[in-house]
Amino acid sequence: MDLISIVVPCYNEQEALPPFYKEINKVAAHMDSVKFEFIFIDDGSKDKTLSMLKYLHKKDERVRYISFSRNFGKEAGMLAGLEAAKGDFVAVMDADLQDPPSLLPKMYNIVRNGGYDCAGTRRSTREGEPPIRSFFARMFYKIINKMSDADIVDGARDYRLMSRQMVDAILAMKEYNRFSKGIFGWVGFKTKWLEYVNTQRVAGETKWSFWKLFKYSMEGIMAFSTTPLYISSIMGFIICVAAFILACFYLIKTLVYGDPTTGFPSLVCIILFLGGIQLIGIGVVGMYLSKTYLETKRRPIYIIKETENSKEK
Ligand code: UDP
Ligand code: MG
């Protein structure tokens, strides 16, 4: 009998957890040819999420939980869940029911019998999202796919069901700066995409502000592409050539017409322009350096405070 592990990162999800558990339980009850384990990761929630998970574990031994010592972010939560999962198949989904559990039987069937290693989901629409956010999201996917070899699908959610082989490949990627959308794409394997219409979360609020998303997208580009470094070098080269041509032009002009003191405004513009370019270049290098710095520290990606196996105090 196959075991399916469901990994659910939760951060302040006390309102969403009961309906989620009910829903997933219903789906699991219909799939009687497989066994389930539900691994909830309490990502340092400040509400009653953890005590709810403890309660669920008491009631239902398929429920496992991992509680972090503080908020480490969804990426860390997913990693902890994947590491803890014992299943032959592992699914990752959000606690807010934006990822419909009803797709699970179909996803399982695709990976089990359909010759795929992974069944992923993508939103066919971005309804219920501010238009400006959709615009930036689309741009981000265009840019990152141009820049990196990881195939990152527009609108792909983290909701997916994977084979053990693919999960092991993902776990072999030990990087500190984890960008799952990129990691999932980078490891390859055959993925079948299921589309579904975007739904609103059942309860609670999204944890993503525009600024957080922007930072996240920058991290994604940085983690899966070094193109920005090339761009700044190429820009530097082009400007050098332009400056040389300009210098020749002015030298000849001065020799022929001789009026040496005009051109102050253009000088200021050029200095400012070059200063800006240099700062951008240094900034880009700095960002990569900072990532390398964090990577070399080899800090743990998350710290576990307790799990269902730790002794009750
Ligand atoms: N989440 C988490 N840690 C965080 C932020 C979010 O574990 O620091 C979880 C959250 O509980 C939810 C999932 O990640 O299950 C997706 O979060 P959210 O619904 O806020 O994101 P959205 O669906 O809006 O992209
Ligand atoms: Mg959500």
Side-chain angles (χ1 to χ4, degrees):
M1 215 188 213
D2 285 335
L3 174 68
I4 302 183
S5 307
I6 311 271
V7 171
V8 192
C10 309
Y11 178 50
N12 295 342
E13 297 285 8
Q14 61 176 9
E15 282 99 20
L17 268 180
F20 175 81
Y21 176 72
K22 209 173 129 201
E23 199 64 29
I24 192 91
N25 209 6
K26 230 177 6 192
V27 173
H30 283 294
M31 297 171 73
D32 37 19
S33 61
V34 280
K35 280 193 296 187
F36 277 90
E37 66 172 356
F38 308 120
I39 305 173
F40 291 91
I41 295 91
D42 164 39
D43 187 10
S45 301
K46 292 179 182 69
D47 62 1
K48 297 209 175 61
T49 302
L50 180 60
S51 48
M52 259 169 166
L53 292 177
K54 284 182 181 167
Y55 169 74
L56 286 178
H57 171 65
K58 266 201 196 109
K59 219 174 69 169
D60 180 350
E61 59 175 19
R62 294 173 304 172
V63 174
R64 300 170 55 195
Y65 63 87
I66 297 169
S67 180
F68 288 173
S69 60
R70 65 168 170 85
N71 180 251
F72 280 91
K74 185 185 174 185
E75 296 291 341
M78 281 201 285
L79 177 68
L82 291 180
E83 280 178 347
K86 300 189 184 118
D88 311 294
F89 300 88
V90 183
V92 182
M93 65 167 87
D94 288 2
D96 56 11
L97 285 178
Q98 271 183 317
D99 302 332
S102 53
L103 281 176
L104 270 178
K106 199 169 163 196
M107 291 162 87
Y108 170 67
N109 197 27
I110 287 168
V111 181
R112 178 74 225 255
N113 309 315
Y116 287 90
D117 304 286
C118 173
T121 56
R122 48 182 305 216
R123 300 190 280 185
S124 48
T125 64
R126 287 184 167 274
E127 236 162 85
E129 193 182 61
I132 180 103
R133 184 177 284 197
S134 305
F135 170 74
F136 278 109
R138 289 229 169 78
M139 234 171 57
F140 164 70
Y141 284 109
K142 274 215 186 92
I143 291 174
I144 196 164
N145 276 315
K146 280 248 163 63
M147 283 185 173
S148 86
D149 4 302
D151 180 23
I152 297 166
V153 177
D154 186 1
R157 309 250 333 150
D158 287 336
Y159 181 27
R160 56 176 64 229
L161 187 136
M162 295 169 281
S163 65
R164 176 44 52 189
Q165 193 189 13
M166 182 164 172
V167 173
D168 288 342
I170 288 166
L171 291 180
M173 296 179 77
K174 297 277 182 218
E175 59 218 77
Y176 180 81
N177 297 289
R178 295 189 83 78
F179 181 69
S180 289
K181 284 186 201 306
I183 291 176
F184 290 145
W186 193 89
V187 294
F189 293 105
K190 255 173 91 179
T191 301
K192 168 125 181 150
W193 292 101
L194 303 174
E195 299 215 350
Y196 70 93
V197 180
N198 193 22
T199 45
Q200 303 289 325
R201 45 162 54 238
V202 273
E205 270 178 15
T206 177
K207 279 100 202 164
W208 292 97
S209 62
F210 188 81
W211 175 239
K212 259 185 154 177
L213 275 175
F214 179 74
K215 261 179 66 186
Y216 184 62
S217 60
M218 282 297 154
E219 265 158 32
I221 291 177
M222 222 80 67
F224 279 91
S225 157
T226 46
T227 310
L229 287 170
Y230 290 108
I231 293 178
S232 55
S233 314
I234 290 167
M235 250 179 354
F237 182 74
I238 292 173
I239 287 168
C240 280
V241 171
F244 182 72
I245 294 170
L246 215 64
C248 292
F249 171 74
Y250 278 118
L251 186 73
I252 291 164
K253 197 178 153 212
T254 314
L255 287 179
V256 176
Y257 298 100
D259 74 291
T261 49
T262 54
F264 176 70
S266 56
L267 207 60
V268 170
C269 290
I270 290 167
I271 288 172
L272 283 181
F273 179 64
L274 282 183
I277 295 282
Q278 278 164 3
L279 284 179
I280 292 172
I282 292 172
V284 171
V285 175
M287 282 197 274
Y288 280 95
L289 191 65
S290 73
K291 294 289 163 206
T292 316
Y293 173 61
L294 288 175
E295 214 57 75
T296 52
K297 284 191 179 190
R298 299 242 145 256
R299 283 183 182 163
I301 294 169
Y302 55 84
I303 294 169
I304 294 176
K305 183 153 166 262
E306 67 171 287
T307 69
E308 78 278 358
N309 292 322
S310 44
K311 293 234 160 59
E312 286 282 335
K313 283 192 194 119

